[in-house]
Amino acid sequence: MLERIQKRLKLVFKNAKIIFATTTPMNPNGTMGENERTTEEIARYNLAAKNILKNAGVLIDDLFEFTKKFDSRYYADYCHFTEDGFKIIAEHISDYLKEVL
């Protein structure tokens, strides 16, 4: 599906830089929430996505790598960040976009 999406984006937006952001890890405190995904599963999906999209020339903002050092104080629950966590991520994304655009 990712291949189809990136091909369609390149077709419709011929001069656009396409950027994919990886999924972030789950709260490292180990408490399961309603979302049954695990950090290990997310890492596998991210790796597959990066392999597909890098070969297609898509830029990758690896939010997983950036946020994997976050401890549980930056999580509001099992998979969502606190306001402070989101601010740190937003600054990273802003810096990344300034760098690649």
Side-chain angles (χ1 to χ4, degrees), residues 32-48:
M32 291 295 285
E34 290 182 30
N35 185 334
E36 298 177 2
R37 299 283 185 234
T38 65
T39 295
E40 294 75 22
E41 182 181 20
I42 291 168
R44 288 191 306 270
Y45 279 112
N46 283 339
L47 180 60

Side-chain angles (χ1 to χ4, degrees), residues 29-68:
N29 74 5
T31 304
M32 291 295 285
E34 290 182 30
N35 185 334
E36 298 177 2
R37 299 283 185 234
T38 65
T39 295
E40 294 75 22
E41 182 181 20
I42 291 168
R44 288 191 306 270
Y45 279 112
N46 283 339
L47 180 60
K50 290 189 296 186
N51 287 337
I52 290 166
L53 296 173
K54 278 185 181 178
N55 291 334
V58 173
L59 300 172
I60 307 290
D61 186 356
D62 199 339
L63 295 180
F64 183 92
E65 285 298 316
F66 178 74
T67 58
K68 75 178 186 181

